[in-house]
Amino acid sequence: MIFTVAIDGPAAAGKGTISKAVAAHFGFAHLDTGLLYRAVGAKVLAGADPVAAAKALDPVDLENDSLRTPQVAEAASEVAVIPDVRAALVAFQKTFARRDGGAVLDGRDIGTVICPDAEVKLFVTASAECRAERRWQELRGRGMAVELENVIADVKARDERDSSRATAPLVAAADAVVIDTSDLSIDQAVAEAVAVISDKM
Ligand code: C5P
């Protein structure tokens, strides 16, 4: 069965958590496409050329915990504005989306650019304060000493860059179902996503 669930939204809105949960629920494969940009960003921090790094990206590059730092997130959002970097990552994502057995992809441009024909499109969002607070808790939980004010500033700067870039900006597809997770528990947000998907199966 070919069935694609496209999940987009700003940083720390709950996309990752919801994507993993719905993929597990329906037995679909999951691709966190932010990891592709983070892997390229990490290589650029280590001195690589962004386009060359994107072209040479290997799926094993994605299995690295060091991609989850604010520095790498910032570098990811900087390389993500480069059209040739994005272009180099399209084929891998499209192939993943149409694999047999169903796929969930989460990112910024899945419903608009990568999978405009996805069977289900969700746009997961939350207030900037709420998202920054969650990201702060997550980073602290992983032992990183970061100030809440800095996390708020980082999240806002990244959203601004992601939303205003010329190529594949962060925007809800016209036919996406919006889920605002500001006042939802994880279970409630996942239940809402599962209900929307079940409806289209
Ligand atoms: O989702 P995550 O926070 O890991 O993404 C890191 C960065 O990668 C984002 O801020 C964004 O600039 C970029 N990105 C993108 N398109 C995607 C996924 C991520 O431009 N589909």
Side-chain angles (χ1 to χ4, degrees), residues 8-12 15 32-35 37-38 67-68 72-74 76-78 80-81 86 93 106-110 114 135 158-159 161-162 165 168:
D8 292 302
K15 297 186 301 292
D32 170 358
T33 67
L35 284 179
Y37 295 90
R38 285 173 183 259
L67 299 180
R68 303 244 172 236
V72 173
E74 177 67 20
S77 132
E78 282 169 19
V81 307
R86 307 198 68 86
Q93 295 175 81
D106 72 286
R108 303 293 187 289
D109 64 339
I110 309 304
I114 302 297
R135 183 51 52 91
R158 202 141 66 85
D159 289 345
R161 188 182 301 117
D162 290 347
R165 70 184 174 219

mmCIF file of all heavy atoms in Angstrom, residues 8-12 15 32-35 37-38 67-68 72-74 76-78 80-81 86 93 106-110 114 135 158-159 161-162 165 168, ligand 1:
data_model
loop_
_atom_site.group_PDB
_atom_site.id
_atom_site.type_symbol
_atom_site.label_atom_id
_atom_site.label_comp_id
_atom_site.label_asym_id
_atom_site.label_seq_id
_atom_site.Cartn_x
_atom_site.Cartn_y
_atom_site.Cartn_z
ATOM 1 N N ASP A 8 4.053 18.976 8.515
ATOM 2 C CA ASP A 8 4.928 20.148 8.539
ATOM 3 C C ASP A 8 4.605 21.023 9.739
ATOM 4 O O ASP A 8 3.543 20.897 10.357
ATOM 5 C CB ASP A 8 4.724 20.963 7.250
ATOM 6 C CG ASP A 8 5.234 20.216 6.037
ATOM 7 O OD1 ASP A 8 6.438 19.877 6.023
ATOM 8 O OD2 ASP A 8 4.446 19.964 5.103
ATOM 9 N N GLY A 9 5.514 21.944 10.015
ATOM 10 C CA GLY A 9 5.272 22.893 11.092
ATOM 11 C C GLY A 9 6.578 23.484 11.578
ATOM 12 O O GLY A 9 7.661 23.045 11.173
ATOM 13 N N PRO A 10 6.490 24.517 12.433
ATOM 14 C CA PRO A 10 7.697 25.177 12.943
ATOM 15 C C PRO A 10 8.443 24.317 13.964
ATOM 16 O O PRO A 10 7.964 23.242 14.345
ATOM 17 C CB PRO A 10 7.142 26.453 13.590
ATOM 18 C CG PRO A 10 5.751 26.105 13.976
ATOM 19 C CD PRO A 10 5.253 25.121 12.955
ATOM 20 N N ALA A 11 9.595 24.804 14.397
ATOM 21 C CA ALA A 11 10.448 24.071 15.338
ATOM 22 C C ALA A 11 9.711 23.786 16.650
ATOM 23 O O ALA A 11 8.997 24.649 17.171
ATOM 24 C CB ALA A 11 11.704 24.899 15.634
ATOM 25 N N ALA A 12 9.889 22.574 17.150
ATOM 26 C CA ALA A 12 9.392 22.186 18.486
ATOM 27 C C ALA A 12 7.884 22.320 18.684
ATOM 28 O O ALA A 12 7.408 22.548 19.782
ATOM 29 C CB ALA A 12 10.133 22.958 19.586
ATOM 30 N N LYS A 15 5.891 18.015 16.016
ATOM 31 C CA LYS A 15 5.864 17.207 14.785
ATOM 32 C C LYS A 15 6.523 15.859 14.968
ATOM 33 O O LYS A 15 6.005 14.838 14.536
ATOM 34 C CB LYS A 15 6.656 17.867 13.646
ATOM 35 C CG LYS A 15 6.188 19.164 13.134
ATOM 36 C CD LYS A 15 7.016 19.562 11.916
ATOM 37 C CE LYS A 15 8.507 19.697 12.163
ATOM 38 N NZ LYS A 15 8.901 20.815 13.013
ATOM 39 N N ASP A 32 12.303 11.723 9.559
ATOM 40 C CA ASP A 32 12.431 13.081 10.096
ATOM 41 C C ASP A 32 13.338 13.827 9.116
ATOM 42 O O ASP A 32 14.555 13.682 9.154
ATOM 43 C CB ASP A 32 13.048 12.991 11.497
ATOM 44 C CG ASP A 32 13.450 14.351 12.056
ATOM 45 O OD1 ASP A 32 13.291 15.371 11.351
ATOM 46 O OD2 ASP A 32 13.936 14.381 13.199
ATOM 47 N N THR A 33 12.734 14.613 8.212
ATOM 48 C CA THR A 33 13.545 15.238 7.155
ATOM 49 C C THR A 33 14.442 16.353 7.694
ATOM 50 O O THR A 33 15.407 16.733 7.043
ATOM 51 C CB THR A 33 12.662 15.800 6.011
ATOM 52 O OG1 THR A 33 11.879 16.895 6.511
ATOM 53 C CG2 THR A 33 11.755 14.731 5.440
ATOM 54 N N GLY A 34 14.150 16.866 8.900
ATOM 55 C CA GLY A 34 15.039 17.853 9.509
ATOM 56 C C GLY A 34 16.431 17.277 9.702
ATOM 57 O O GLY A 34 17.431 18.001 9.630
ATOM 58 N N LEU A 35 16.489 15.950 9.909
ATOM 59 C CA LEU A 35 17.800 15.313 10.103
ATOM 60 C C LEU A 35 18.673 15.425 8.856
ATOM 61 O O LEU A 35 19.904 15.480 8.962
ATOM 62 C CB LEU A 35 17.627 13.829 10.465
ATOM 63 C CG LEU A 35 17.188 13.508 11.886
ATOM 64 C CD1 LEU A 35 17.045 12.001 12.052
ATOM 65 C CD2 LEU A 35 18.200 14.058 12.901
ATOM 66 N N TYR A 37 18.809 17.996 6.801
ATOM 67 C CA TYR A 37 19.402 19.343 6.825
ATOM 68 C C TYR A 37 20.385 19.475 7.993
ATOM 69 O O TYR A 37 21.403 20.153 7.877
ATOM 70 C CB TYR A 37 18.286 20.395 6.885
ATOM 71 C CG TYR A 37 17.455 20.366 5.624
ATOM 72 C CD1 TYR A 37 16.324 19.547 5.523
ATOM 73 C CD2 TYR A 37 17.840 21.078 4.496
ATOM 74 C CE1 TYR A 37 15.595 19.467 4.345
ATOM 75 C CE2 TYR A 37 17.114 21.002 3.315
ATOM 76 C CZ TYR A 37 16.001 20.195 3.253
ATOM 77 O OH TYR A 37 15.297 20.107 2.081
ATOM 78 N N ARG A 38 20.067 18.826 9.113
ATOM 79 C CA ARG A 38 20.993 18.853 10.246
ATOM 80 C C ARG A 38 22.308 18.146 9.891
ATOM 81 O O ARG A 38 23.396 18.614 10.254
ATOM 82 C CB ARG A 38 20.358 18.178 11.472
ATOM 83 C CG ARG A 38 19.305 19.049 12.136
ATOM 84 C CD ARG A 38 18.569 18.310 13.240
ATOM 85 N NE ARG A 38 17.525 19.135 13.808
ATOM 86 C CZ ARG A 38 17.614 19.814 14.963
ATOM 87 N NH1 ARG A 38 18.721 19.726 15.694
ATOM 88 N NH2 ARG A 38 16.616 20.553 15.383
ATOM 89 N N LEU A 67 23.487 15.506 16.183
ATOM 90 C CA LEU A 67 22.735 16.389 15.284
ATOM 91 C C LEU A 67 21.670 17.189 16.038
ATOM 92 O O LEU A 67 21.098 18.122 15.506
ATOM 93 C CB LEU A 67 22.048 15.568 14.178
ATOM 94 C CG LEU A 67 22.972 14.769 13.263
ATOM 95 C CD1 LEU A 67 22.156 14.011 12.220
ATOM 96 C CD2 LEU A 67 23.979 15.683 12.567
ATOM 97 N N ARG A 68 21.433 16.815 17.310
ATOM 98 C CA ARG A 68 20.327 17.426 18.064
ATOM 99 C C ARG A 68 20.758 18.593 18.940
ATOM 100 O O ARG A 68 20.175 18.816 19.990
ATOM 101 C CB ARG A 68 19.663 16.361 18.938
ATOM 102 C CG ARG A 68 19.168 15.190 18.136
ATOM 103 C CD ARG A 68 17.675 15.074 18.207
ATOM 104 N NE ARG A 68 17.145 14.074 17.300
ATOM 105 C CZ ARG A 68 16.225 14.321 16.373
ATOM 106 N NH1 ARG A 68 15.746 15.528 16.217
ATOM 107 N NH2 ARG A 68 15.781 13.370 15.597
ATOM 108 N N VAL A 72 23.787 22.883 15.643
ATOM 109 C CA VAL A 72 23.525 22.157 14.395
ATOM 110 C C VAL A 72 22.170 22.584 13.815
ATOM 111 O O VAL A 72 22.028 22.713 12.590
ATOM 112 C CB VAL A 72 23.603 20.627 14.610
ATOM 113 C CG1 VAL A 72 23.155 19.877 13.366
ATOM 114 C CG2 VAL A 72 25.026 20.220 14.972
ATOM 115 N N ALA A 73 21.185 22.853 14.676
ATOM 116 C CA ALA A 73 19.872 23.321 14.196
ATOM 117 C C ALA A 73 20.031 24.633 13.433
ATOM 118 O O ALA A 73 19.442 24.832 12.362
ATOM 119 C CB ALA A 73 18.915 23.506 15.370
ATOM 120 N N GLU A 74 20.847 25.518 13.990
ATOM 121 C CA GLU A 74 21.098 26.814 13.358
ATOM 122 C C GLU A 74 21.803 26.616 12.005
ATOM 123 O O GLU A 74 21.411 27.202 10.996
ATOM 124 C CB GLU A 74 21.965 27.640 14.322
ATOM 125 C CG GLU A 74 22.401 28.986 13.824
ATOM 126 C CD GLU A 74 21.254 29.974 13.664
ATOM 127 O OE1 GLU A 74 20.195 29.771 14.274
ATOM 128 O OE2 GLU A 74 21.421 30.930 12.880
ATOM 129 N N ALA A 76 21.695 23.987 10.183
ATOM 130 C CA ALA A 76 20.730 23.330 9.280
ATOM 131 C C ALA A 76 19.858 24.379 8.614
ATOM 132 O O ALA A 76 19.653 24.358 7.398
ATOM 133 C CB ALA A 76 19.860 22.353 10.078
ATOM 134 N N SER A 77 19.366 25.330 9.419
ATOM 135 C CA SER A 77 18.463 26.321 8.851
ATOM 136 C C SER A 77 19.204 27.263 7.910
ATOM 137 O O SER A 77 18.624 27.792 6.956
ATOM 138 C CB SER A 77 17.704 26.987 10.000
ATOM 139 O OG SER A 77 17.689 28.344 9.940
ATOM 140 N N GLU A 78 20.523 27.417 8.115
ATOM 141 C CA GLU A 78 21.300 28.243 7.179
ATOM 142 C C GLU A 78 21.527 27.522 5.846
ATOM 143 O O GLU A 78 21.401 28.118 4.784
ATOM 144 C CB GLU A 78 22.633 28.656 7.813
ATOM 145 C CG GLU A 78 22.425 29.796 8.799
ATOM 146 C CD GLU A 78 23.648 30.084 9.653
ATOM 147 O OE1 GLU A 78 24.769 29.689 9.290
ATOM 148 O OE2 GLU A 78 23.461 30.729 10.717
ATOM 149 N N ALA A 80 19.606 25.273 4.673
ATOM 150 C CA ALA A 80 18.293 24.966 4.092
ATOM 151 C C ALA A 80 17.770 26.061 3.171
ATOM 152 O O ALA A 80 16.810 25.848 2.439
ATOM 153 C CB ALA A 80 17.283 24.694 5.207
ATOM 154 N N VAL A 81 18.401 27.246 3.201
ATOM 155 C CA VAL A 81 17.970 28.313 2.280
ATOM 156 C C VAL A 81 18.608 28.138 0.898
ATOM 157 O O VAL A 81 18.208 28.803 -0.052
ATOM 158 C CB VAL A 81 18.303 29.744 2.799
ATOM 159 C CG1 VAL A 81 17.762 29.955 4.203
ATOM 160 C CG2 VAL A 81 19.790 30.023 2.768
ATOM 161 N N ARG A 86 18.673 21.918 -1.182
ATOM 162 C CA ARG A 86 17.329 21.345 -1.131
ATOM 163 C C ARG A 86 17.118 20.373 -2.286
ATOM 164 O O ARG A 86 16.592 19.278 -2.102
ATOM 165 C CB ARG A 86 16.260 22.438 -1.155
ATOM 166 C CG ARG A 86 16.425 23.524 -0.103
ATOM 167 C CD ARG A 86 15.159 24.314 0.118
ATOM 168 N NE ARG A 86 14.142 23.482 0.750
ATOM 169 C CZ ARG A 86 14.031 23.291 2.065
ATOM 170 N NH1 ARG A 86 14.835 23.902 2.898
ATOM 171 N NH2 ARG A 86 13.112 22.484 2.539
ATOM 172 N N GLN A 93 13.815 11.871 -0.434
ATOM 173 C CA GLN A 93 12.560 12.061 0.312
ATOM 174 C C GLN A 93 11.355 11.556 -0.477
ATOM 175 O O GLN A 93 10.457 10.913 0.073
ATOM 176 C CB GLN A 93 12.368 13.550 0.650
ATOM 177 C CG GLN A 93 13.432 14.094 1.593
ATOM 178 C CD GLN A 93 13.284 15.596 1.804
ATOM 179 O OE1 GLN A 93 12.474 16.056 2.603
ATOM 180 N NE2 GLN A 93 14.051 16.375 1.059
ATOM 181 N N ASP A 106 8.148 14.165 8.222
ATOM 182 C CA ASP A 106 7.906 15.453 8.859
ATOM 183 C C ASP A 106 9.018 16.435 8.539
ATOM 184 O O ASP A 106 10.166 16.049 8.346
ATOM 185 C CB ASP A 106 7.667 15.312 10.370
ATOM 186 C CG ASP A 106 8.900 14.958 11.165
ATOM 187 O OD1 ASP A 106 9.348 13.809 11.095
ATOM 188 O OD2 ASP A 106 9.416 15.842 11.873
ATOM 189 N N GLY A 107 8.610 17.711 8.377
ATOM 190 C CA GLY A 107 9.582 18.743 8.006
ATOM 191 C C GLY A 107 8.927 20.095 7.880
ATOM 192 O O GLY A 107 8.101 20.480 8.722
ATOM 193 N N ARG A 108 9.330 20.837 6.824
ATOM 194 C CA ARG A 108 8.801 22.181 6.617
ATOM 195 C C ARG A 108 8.077 22.299 5.281
ATOM 196 O O ARG A 108 7.214 23.159 5.128
ATOM 197 C CB ARG A 108 9.953 23.212 6.622
ATOM 198 C CG ARG A 108 10.820 23.229 7.882
ATOM 199 C CD ARG A 108 10.051 23.712 9.088
ATOM 200 N NE ARG A 108 10.893 23.895 10.279
ATOM 201 C CZ ARG A 108 11.435 22.911 10.974
ATOM 202 N NH1 ARG A 108 11.229 21.655 10.632
ATOM 203 N NH2 ARG A 108 12.176 23.176 12.048
ATOM 204 N N ASP A 109 8.466 21.466 4.305
ATOM 205 C CA ASP A 109 7.948 21.612 2.930
ATOM 206 C C ASP A 109 7.419 20.295 2.383
ATOM 207 O O ASP A 109 7.383 20.093 1.182
ATOM 208 C CB ASP A 109 9.080 22.104 2.018
ATOM 209 C CG ASP A 109 10.223 21.085 1.918
ATOM 210 O OD1 ASP A 109 10.346 20.226 2.817
ATOM 211 O OD2 ASP A 109 10.981 21.134 0.933
ATOM 212 N N ILE A 110 7.025 19.392 3.262
ATOM 213 C CA ILE A 110 6.603 18.065 2.788
ATOM 214 C C ILE A 110 5.279 18.154 2.022
ATOM 215 O O ILE A 110 5.169 17.658 0.901
ATOM 216 C CB ILE A 110 6.497 17.049 3.957
ATOM 217 C CG1 ILE A 110 7.783 17.045 4.793
ATOM 218 C CG2 ILE A 110 6.188 15.656 3.428
ATOM 219 C CD1 ILE A 110 9.051 16.770 4.020
ATOM 220 N N ILE A 114 7.642 18.454 -1.404
ATOM 221 C CA ILE A 114 8.107 17.067 -1.538
ATOM 222 C C ILE A 114 6.958 16.135 -1.918
ATOM 223 O O ILE A 114 7.095 15.326 -2.838
ATOM 224 C CB ILE A 114 8.783 16.586 -0.221
ATOM 225 C CG1 ILE A 114 9.954 17.504 0.152
ATOM 226 C CG2 ILE A 114 9.251 15.131 -0.343
ATOM 227 C CD1 ILE A 114 11.102 17.535 -0.830
ATOM 228 N N ARG A 135 11.301 22.965 23.908
ATOM 229 C CA ARG A 135 12.660 22.691 23.418
ATOM 230 C C ARG A 135 13.676 22.842 24.549
ATOM 231 O O ARG A 135 14.623 22.069 24.683
ATOM 232 C CB ARG A 135 12.963 23.649 22.242
ATOM 233 C CG ARG A 135 14.298 23.473 21.537
ATOM 234 C CD ARG A 135 14.638 22.063 21.089
ATOM 235 N NE ARG A 135 13.666 21.337 20.301
ATOM 236 C CZ ARG A 135 13.579 21.319 18.988
ATOM 237 N NH1 ARG A 135 14.388 22.034 18.268
ATOM 238 N NH2 ARG A 135 12.679 20.583 18.378
ATOM 239 N N ARG A 158 15.009 30.982 13.883
ATOM 240 C CA ARG A 158 14.960 29.867 12.936
ATOM 241 C C ARG A 158 13.624 29.869 12.190
ATOM 242 O O ARG A 158 13.575 29.691 10.980
ATOM 243 C CB ARG A 158 15.150 28.553 13.701
ATOM 244 C CG ARG A 158 15.628 27.419 12.860
ATOM 245 C CD ARG A 158 16.630 26.580 13.615
ATOM 246 N NE ARG A 158 16.063 25.882 14.751
ATOM 247 C CZ ARG A 158 15.453 24.696 14.676
ATOM 248 N NH1 ARG A 158 15.311 24.108 13.507
ATOM 249 N NH2 ARG A 158 15.018 24.095 15.753
ATOM 250 N N ASP A 159 12.510 30.107 12.922
ATOM 251 C CA ASP A 159 11.194 30.168 12.281
ATOM 252 C C ASP A 159 11.148 31.288 11.261
ATOM 253 O O ASP A 159 10.587 31.138 10.178
ATOM 254 C CB ASP A 159 10.095 30.447 13.318
ATOM 255 C CG ASP A 159 9.868 29.260 14.221
ATOM 256 O OD1 ASP A 159 10.333 28.158 13.894
ATOM 257 O OD2 ASP A 159 9.223 29.462 15.265
ATOM 258 N N ARG A 161 13.669 32.618 9.605
ATOM 259 C CA ARG A 161 14.458 32.271 8.425
ATOM 260 C C ARG A 161 13.721 31.218 7.589
ATOM 261 O O ARG A 161 13.641 31.314 6.369
ATOM 262 C CB ARG A 161 15.845 31.767 8.834
ATOM 263 C CG ARG A 161 16.749 31.595 7.633
ATOM 264 C CD ARG A 161 18.141 31.058 7.971
ATOM 265 N NE ARG A 161 18.872 31.914 8.891
ATOM 266 C CZ ARG A 161 19.259 31.536 10.106
ATOM 267 N NH1 ARG A 161 19.010 30.321 10.543
ATOM 268 N NH2 ARG A 161 19.919 32.350 10.875
ATOM 269 N N ASP A 162 13.140 30.214 8.259
ATOM 270 C CA ASP A 162 12.451 29.132 7.540
ATOM 271 C C ASP A 162 11.210 29.650 6.805
ATOM 272 O O ASP A 162 10.868 29.152 5.733
ATOM 273 C CB ASP A 162 12.032 28.020 8.518
ATOM 274 C CG ASP A 162 13.233 27.241 9.056
ATOM 275 O OD1 ASP A 162 14.341 27.387 8.502
ATOM 276 O OD2 ASP A 162 13.060 26.488 10.035
ATOM 277 N N ARG A 165 12.341 32.350 3.627
ATOM 278 C CA ARG A 165 13.240 32.019 2.514
ATOM 279 C C ARG A 165 12.440 31.878 1.212
ATOM 280 O O ARG A 165 11.242 31.568 1.230
ATOM 281 C CB ARG A 165 14.028 30.744 2.826
ATOM 282 C CG ARG A 165 13.184 29.503 2.831
ATOM 283 C CD ARG A 165 13.996 28.268 3.253
ATOM 284 N NE ARG A 165 13.105 27.134 3.377
ATOM 285 C CZ ARG A 165 13.179 26.199 4.312
ATOM 286 N NH1 ARG A 165 14.136 26.237 5.220
ATOM 287 N NH2 ARG A 165 12.314 25.218 4.332
ATOM 288 N N ALA A 168 10.947 26.914 -1.016
ATOM 289 C CA ALA A 168 10.267 26.008 -0.092
ATOM 290 C C ALA A 168 10.158 26.565 1.329
ATOM 291 O O ALA A 168 10.575 25.947 2.298
ATOM 292 C CB ALA A 168 10.980 24.645 -0.071
HETATM 293 O O1 C5P B 1 12.942 19.884 12.082
HETATM 294 P P1 C5P B 1 14.313 20.344 12.515
HETATM 295 O O2 C5P B 1 14.255 21.367 13.593
HETATM 296 O O3 C5P B 1 15.205 19.207 12.840
HETATM 297 O O4 C5P B 1 14.929 21.037 11.216
HETATM 298 C C1 C5P B 1 16.152 21.731 11.246
HETATM 299 C C2 C5P B 1 16.125 22.783 10.132
HETATM 300 O O5 C5P B 1 16.146 22.116 8.860
HETATM 301 C C3 C5P B 1 14.886 23.662 10.094
HETATM 302 O O6 C5P B 1 15.009 24.805 10.897
HETATM 303 C C4 C5P B 1 14.784 24.027 8.622
HETATM 304 O O7 C5P B 1 15.588 25.145 8.302
HETATM 305 C C5 C5P B 1 15.381 22.838 7.905
HETATM 306 N N1 C5P B 1 14.371 21.978 7.301
HETATM 307 C C6 C5P B 1 13.867 22.339 6.071
HETATM 308 N N2 C5P B 1 12.985 21.533 5.417
HETATM 309 C C7 C5P B 1 12.575 20.382 5.972
HETATM 310 C C8 C5P B 1 13.046 20.003 7.257
HETATM 311 C C9 C5P B 1 13.944 20.840 7.902
HETATM 312 O O8 C5P B 1 14.211 23.391 5.539
HETATM 313 N N3 C5P B 1 11.729 19.606 5.297
#
